[in-house]
Amino acid sequence: MQNIKLNIAGMTCVNCSNAIERVTKKIAGVLDAKVSFANGSGEFIVENAEVQAAIEEKIKKLGYGVAKDLAEFEAKREKHILNLRRNFLAAAAFSAVIMALEMSEQPSAAKSAIMLALAFITIATCGRDFFIHAYGALKNKNFDMNVLVALGTSTAFAYSLGVFIAGERLPENMRHLYVSGAAMITAFVLLGKFLEERSKARAGDYIKSLMDMSPKTALVLQKDGSALEVDAASLKIGDIAVVKSGYAVPCDGVVINGGAEIDTSMLTGESLPVYKRQGDEVNAGTINVNGYINVKVTKLASQTLLSQILELLSDASSKKMPISRFADRVANIFVPSVIAIAVVTFFAWFAITGNALQGVLSAVCVLIISCPCALGLATPIAIVSSLSLGAKNGILIKNPEVLEVLGNVKYAVFDKTGTLTKGEISVNFTDINDENLAIIAALEAKSSHPISAAIVRYASELGLKILGDEKGFENIAGRGVKSDDDSVIAGNEALLNELGVEISAQAKEQIAKAQNEGNGVVLAAVDKIYVGFIALSDTIKEDAAQAMQSLKDAGVTPVMLTGDNAFTAKNVAGKLGIEKVFAGMLPNEKFETIKRLQEEGAVLFVGDGINDAAPLKQANAGIAMSSGADIAKEAGDVVLVKNDLKSAVSTINLAKETMKTIKQNLFWAFVYNAVCIPVAAGVLAPLGLMLTPVYGAAAMCFSSVTVVLNSIRLRFKQI
């Protein structure tokens, strides 16, 4: 089983993407298909790679193009937009000539023939794509906007042609040529599609700007000290890249020489350049604004943070929210319903008034004024704009479905270490003598836990010799570490008690005092005898208190969930204004606590994404804090590149703004169609209000463009 991703150009509405999904799912070897109209992409799960050729052939038969990569897709989309613009201008020019001929005083057969010829050229050339896609849609039993436009324009033209050929056989009130209407409908629909496509492309401007950031070349330091320019994609791990002032960093790597101010704004949203020196990590696509550095490549071009962000955004924008799937289902039955209403409208007018011309005009107006595009665009363009705004602010949304959840969370649950605090653990003091501390440090050296690293670092700073041994080692999650023969133990009180280590009342008082002062403590035993404790502390993040208050102001209750002891947890919670605290939690207990909180409402969990995989998965929405390393492997629905708590609050604000925009779009789309279709059919005719198909085309153009522009407003929101 394989996953194939294709870039699909030429889709004009959500029914186009739905049609591609339905048709490709019928191909032998295709297990599933998901196509996004918003970002022009398709994801296909197939049995083997050989099926790809059949999928591409079927898509092309439907009248759409397939691009091999994003760059080719953008080129094809730009060509499509220019083609729409060219066709609109031509259709507008032909329509103006036809109208001028219509308004001239003396009608004649020659003039009518010229108008019909111009209208045919307009429909057959400028509106050609509508008919091609409509044919492909009907062939596959699909009904989309193209079918409505093709039916409307061809009906108006066919009626006019019939009048021209056999007009003398028709009553006087039915001999009017409506060729200008057919041409102007084409012009207005083309104008709407041009504005819509151009605006839709702007919704993903940030993603395109990230693509443009991808370095094309790199200067590689040679053994003789010279710098050779190579393709950035060819860089290998271990190469040394030279980055001069004004140049883009070509790779993810570590600075091994020099210093420079690096502009990271496009990746993290930081407004000011960050100074990077020897030992600091830098990312591909960031800009050296001042200085000179040599960077050792640590990741291949396909593994850089920039490439991961691009892949993540591409994957996320192709996913559909539940509210979007509802809109798609409505759109699928919308077009057949409109066609049925148009047929009923014609026969109703003819039966009641005997006026076939008005029946035709009203039926065509119903076909043209209805706007499945507005319905189909309501959600996907808002999602693309939301993803772009989030990414620009260092918020990477991997699963857009959580946007519906985030706006209504009751609890925001935070891990403590590394989330509310910096995770920079250090030893404050210890009452363990040097001999025993060296033994404890030798045990801790076998663990990669941050607490173990802090103890080893502290012992090294004291100049103690940390000797290795052949003893086995066991890391007991949430409790501590021990040697396999239990001769050396470092952990919490419960672990020592379980292993038979006695702690005197006096020692317990000293431990409690250290904990009351906000320290975490690690108790130690050598040869089953308690030898003392190590007091550790962590620094609270600068924006933590403000973030907790912002959550409270938004009606969200902050909760702390930690494996640390109750004394330390409550000390940190008190400083941050967190009232609900769960301390001493083992990983499985964190999971169960999340489940209990979910009985009261939706739960957001914010953790480091590595040690908190279970609660991140169980929560209704998970946000993983990350410094940027291995970002695609994080467990959360959302990843925060900047690793700050303010971004967690911004994520909730973004979700609320996104859902508000989507609901506005859907409201407009439903209300527009609910009002305009009956008016087009002629329900207000007794009041003297009748719409012509030309006005219907203008209204349809206005409707879809309004939805797109409303979605694009998201890009300029302050979150």
Side-chain angles (χ1 to χ4, degrees):
M1 190 168 67
Q2 295 182 351
N3 194 318
I4 296 173
K5 293 180 182 178
L6 297 176
N7 298 293
I8 304 169
M11 291 187 287
T12 56
C13 70
V14 71
N15 280 28
C16 296
S17 58
N18 291 343
I20 294 173
E21 280 188 8
R22 280 199 295 272
V23 171
T24 52
K25 281 180 180 178
K26 296 176 183 177
I27 299 173
V30 176
L31 304 178
D32 193 20
K34 292 179 181 178
V35 180
S36 169
F37 163 62
N39 70 342
S41 67
E43 188 173 338
F44 306 89
I45 299 175
V46 299
E47 291 179 352
N48 55 68
E50 296 173 3
V51 183
Q52 182 171 345
I55 294 174
E56 291 184 8
E57 184 181 353
K58 180 62 74 173
I59 291 172
K60 289 174 182 176
K61 280 186 177 180
L62 288 172
Y64 308 105
V66 178
K68 66 176 181 293
D69 53 34
L70 282 173
E72 184 182 338
F73 170 74
E74 288 298 334
K76 285 191 174 185
R77 178 153 73 172
E78 190 63 32
K79 183 179 179 181
H80 176 59
I81 291 172
L82 289 174
N83 190 48
L84 284 172
R85 180 175 178 270
R86 186 166 51 249
N87 285 339
F88 159 66
L89 292 174
F94 285 131
S95 298
V97 173
I98 294 171
M99 287 185 67
L101 290 171
E102 265 188 347
M103 290 186 289
S104 60
E105 294 182 3
Q106 192 61 40
S108 67
K111 189 167 68 173
S112 296
I114 292 172
M115 288 193 296
L116 279 166
L118 290 174
F120 178 77
I121 292 171
T122 304
I123 296 171
T125 58
C126 303
R128 175 174 172 269
D129 287 345
F130 295 129
F131 288 87
I132 291 174
H133 292 315
Y135 173 75
L138 291 173
K139 188 178 178 182
N140 291 282
K141 299 178 182 179
N142 180 57
F143 298 89
D144 60 14
M145 181 215 72
N146 297 293
V147 174
L148 295 180
V149 175
L151 275 175
T153 53
S154 58
T155 300
F157 180 80
Y159 181 85
S160 299
L161 183 63
V163 171
F164 176 75
I165 295 172
E168 68 278 357
R169 300 179 187 177
L170 300 174
E172 187 68 30
N173 64 347
M174 293 177 61
R175 295 181 184 178
H176 178 70
L177 293 177
Y178 200 68
V179 285
S180 63
M184 289 187 68
I185 288 169
T186 303
F188 272 119
V189 174
L190 283 168
L191 173 61
K193 297 312 294 180
F194 166 67
L195 295 174
E196 178 187 310
E197 285 295 320
R198 191 174 67 171
S199 299
K200 191 165 65 129
R202 287 177 59 194
D205 273 352
Y206 180 71
I207 298 176
K208 285 190 289 183
S209 65
L210 285 179
M211 288 171 54
D212 294 337
M213 278 176 60
S214 300
K216 305 298 185 291
T217 60
L219 293 174
V220 178
L221 191 65
Q222 304 297 299
K223 291 181 179 180
D224 61 2
S226 63
L228 177 65
E229 186 174 294
V230 300
D231 188 345
S234 68
L235 288 173
K236 302 183 293 294
I237 293 175
D239 283 348
I240 308 298
V242 176
V243 186
K244 301 177 183 179
S245 181
Y247 281 60
V249 178
C251 60
D252 277 15
V254 177
V255 178
I256 61 170
N257 184 35
E261 293 179 348
I262 304 296
D263 179 1
T264 63
S265 57
M266 286 300 290
L267 290 182
T268 66
E270 295 285 349
S271 57
L272 296 175
V274 180
Y275 187 78
K276 299 288 186 178
R277 56 174 63 83
Q278 186 174 343
D280 290 338
E281 293 184 352
V282 291
N283 298 109
T286 54
I287 307 296
N288 179 359
V289 295
N290 184 31
Y292 176 95
I293 52 175
N294 288 341
V295 179
K296 185 175 183 180
V297 179
T298 57
K299 291 184 180 179
L300 298 175
S302 60
Q303 300 169 333
T304 64
L305 174 62
L306 178 60
S307 63
Q308 289 179 34
I309 289 175
L310 277 169
E311 184 178 357
L312 188 151
L313 288 175
S314 177
D315 289 346
S317 57
S318 66
K319 294 179 181 177
K320 293 181 179 179
M321 298 167 64
I323 196 170
S324 177
R325 288 191 281 270
F326 165 73
D328 285 357
R329 286 195 296 270
V330 173
N332 283 335
I333 63 171
F334 181 82
V335 175
S337 302
V338 168
I339 294 172
I341 293 171
V343 172
V344 171
T345 297
F346 170 76
F347 284 110
W349 272 100
F350 188 70
I352 296 171
T353 67
N355 190 339
L357 173 61
Q358 188 55 57
V360 168
L361 294 180
S362 295
V364 170
C365 195
V366 168
L367 291 171
I368 297 301
I369 203 170
S370 59
C371 191
C373 292
L375 196 60
L377 290 167
T379 302
I381 302 301
I383 291 175
V384 170
S385 296
S386 178
L387 293 174
S388 295
L389 177 61
K392 194 173 182 180
N393 287 276
I395 301 167
L396 302 183
I397 301 168
K398 295 168 65 176
N399 178 14
E401 289 190 13
V402 300
L403 292 172
E404 288 192 52
V405 177
L406 284 168
N408 298 298
V409 295
K410 181 174 182 178
Y411 294 113
V413 182
F414 293 85
D415 176 45
K416 183 179 74 69
T417 305
T419 304
L420 293 172
T421 64
K422 293 182 177 180
E424 299 170 357
I425 300 171
S426 59
V427 176
N428 279 347
F429 63 90
T430 180
D431 60 356
I432 303 174
N433 62 45
D434 289 354
E435 182 183 351
N436 286 328
L437 184 59
I439 295 172
I440 297 298
L443 174 69
E444 296 283 10
K446 298 175 183 178
S447 170
S448 60
H449 195 281
I451 290 177
S452 299
I455 294 172
V456 172
R457 186 169 59 251
Y458 177 73
S460 299
E461 289 170 356
L462 292 178
L464 302 181
K465 288 186 178 181
I466 304 174
L467 303 175
D469 56 49
E470 296 180 357
K471 291 180 180 179
F473 158 81
E474 184 180 353
N475 187 348
I476 305 169
R479 305 182 74 184
V481 295
K482 71 180 187 68
S483 58
D484 57 357
D485 60 0
D486 297 345
S487 62
V488 185
I489 308 165
N492 60 22
E493 186 176 349
L495 178 61
L496 268 68
N497 288 338
E498 182 182 307
L499 296 175
V501 177
E502 294 184 4
I503 305 172
S504 68
Q506 183 180 0
K508 288 182 178 180
E509 287 180 9
Q510 292 174 334
I511 294 168
K513 182 182 178 183
Q515 290 175 325
N516 288 331
E517 291 172 355
N519 294 293
V521 293
V522 173
L523 312 187
V526 176
D527 295 329
K528 295 294 186 78
I529 299 174
Y530 173 74
V531 295
F533 67 89
I534 301 169
L536 306 110
S537 64
D538 195 358
T539 307
I540 295 174
K541 289 184 177 178
E542 290 82 358
D543 61 345
Q546 182 183 350
M548 297 307 106
Q549 187 57 50
S550 296
L551 286 171
K552 289 180 179 179
D553 294 341
V556 179
T557 303
V559 179
M560 181 192 291
L561 192 61
T562 178
D564 216 333
N565 64 78
F567 293 103
T568 304
K570 288 180 179 178
N571 183 277
V572 173
K575 293 177 181 177
L576 298 178
I578 299 176
E579 298 171 4
K580 209 174 186 69
V581 181
F582 297 90
M585 295 275 107
L586 296 174
N588 62 310
E589 292 174 330
K590 289 183 179 181
F591 180 85
E592 293 300 326
T593 301
I594 294 292
K595 288 180 69 174
R596 287 198 299 272
L597 288 173
Q598 285 176 314
E599 295 173 2
E600 303 176 35
V603 175
L604 162 67
F605 184 81
V606 185
D608 62 17
I610 299 170
N611 299 322
D612 300 308
L616 273 169
K617 188 175 181 180
Q618 175 60 32
N620 301 91
I623 295 181
M625 309 293 286
S626 174
S627 61
D630 297 323
I631 205 165
K633 298 178 182 178
E634 295 289 353
D637 301 298
V638 180
V639 179
L640 305 182
V641 175
K642 289 194 286 187
N643 204 30
D644 63 1
L645 290 164
K646 186 171 65 175
S647 294
V649 179
S650 296
T651 304
I652 294 175
N653 294 337
L654 175 62
K656 289 181 177 180
E657 288 293 340
T658 302
M659 291 310 301
K660 184 168 74 173
T661 300
I662 289 173
K663 289 174 182 177
Q664 288 171 348
N665 289 346
L666 287 172
F667 176 79
W668 166 255
F670 280 115
V671 168
Y672 166 84
N673 285 294
V675 171
C676 289
I677 291 176
V679 171
V683 296
L684 296 182
L687 302 177
L689 180 60
M690 290 293 298
L691 287 179
T692 65
V694 172
Y695 289 117
M700 192 267 272
C701 161
F702 172 74
S703 175
S704 58
V705 172
T706 299
V707 166
V708 174
L709 292 179
N710 188 49
S711 296
I712 288 177
R713 285 192 314 115
L714 265 175
R715 293 175 59 220
F716 307 102
K717 290 284 186 180
Q718 295 294 321
I719 56 173

